[in-house]
Amino acid sequence: MSRTILKIACASLIASAAIAAHHAAGATDAAPASPQKKPYTVKDGKVDINTYHGYLYYGDQCMRCHGPDGAGSSYAPNLTESLKVMTKEQVENTIINGRKHVDSSNEKVMPAFGTNEDVVENMDNIYNYLLARSDGALGRGHPEHLDP
Ligand code: HEC
């Protein structure tokens, strides 16, 4: 009886330690001891269907400012570089809340997409597409997709 309780206590301790470790790794973006599996698949230049949707919605919603392939423009930053230094959470917050850089010599405004369903529902897909571009796993241009 008391043994069972001890076992349960141990198991939950291990579980919470694992969760804490996971959070710590995410928060610091520390060099991965065991590399995390990427959230996208690229095979012979073809992407998984979710990443493909990310490509399409990027083209629809973001490209007019951030340029083709996430590569940036004179108006908005190169997102393949941004994703090397931003956490996923920071990227999502920027997308949801938008961003402004307005002063005497700048007038750069990114709209908030928090009420744009196409963007909110495809947040992971857009992020994964940009991450694949940022990692150099996916080249420029319109990718083909793998069979779903
Ligand atoms: C109307 C133009 C416009 C659109 C559309 C737009 N952005 Fe932006 N975005 C900007 C500008 C301008 C900035 C930089 C603002 C600044 O200088 O602080 C920016 C900044 C960002 C950043 C932060 C980059 C960094 O290095 O700090 C991310 C991430 C981002 N945008 C993602 C997106 C995504 C994803 C979409 C599509 C869902 C999108 N943006 C649509 C104009 C736009």
Side-chain angles (χ1 to χ4, degrees):
M1 167 74 168
S2 63
R3 237 180 216 208
T4 315
I5 290 172
L6 201 67
K7 259 192 200 161
I8 292 168
C10 279
S12 73
L13 206 67
I14 290 165
S16 49
I19 291 166
H22 180 80
H23 277 223
T28 56
D29 236 357
S34 56
Q36 294 261 315
K37 193 183 171 326
K38 293 292 182 186
Y40 56 77
T41 304
V42 182
K43 216 170 160 190
D44 305 325
K46 295 186 182 181
V47 296
D48 63 280
I49 193 73
N50 292 331
T51 304
Y52 184 74
H53 286 149
Y55 163 80
L56 293 180
Y57 281 101
Y58 175 84
D60 215 31
Q61 305 279 347
C62 321
M63 189 177 83
R64 67 193 164 98
C65 291
H66 289 279
D69 315 305
S73 71
S74 56
Y75 185 67
N78 178 340
L79 297 178
T80 69
E81 293 301 325
S82 300
L83 264 74
K84 293 189 170 105
V85 295
M86 292 176 84
T87 64
K88 185 177 183 189
E89 200 184 357
Q90 286 171 329
V91 171
E92 288 179 351
N93 284 340
T94 306
I95 296 171
I96 288 171
N97 300 316
R99 187 93 157 250
K100 274 196 185 93
H101 183 195
V102 179
D103 57 31
S104 53
S105 48
N106 288 286
E107 197 172 338
K108 299 190 167 176
V109 179
M110 169 161 160
F113 286 91
T115 56
N116 181 322
E117 275 180 29
D118 284 344
V119 172
V120 173
E121 281 169 15
N122 284 281
M123 191 76 93
D124 282 349
N125 298 340
I126 294 172
Y127 178 82
N128 292 348
Y129 163 69
L130 290 171
L131 189 63
R133 288 280 306 123
S134 177
D135 288 346
L138 180 63
R140 300 189 74 144
H142 188 149
E144 288 183 57
H145 62 78
L146 299 158
D147 289 333

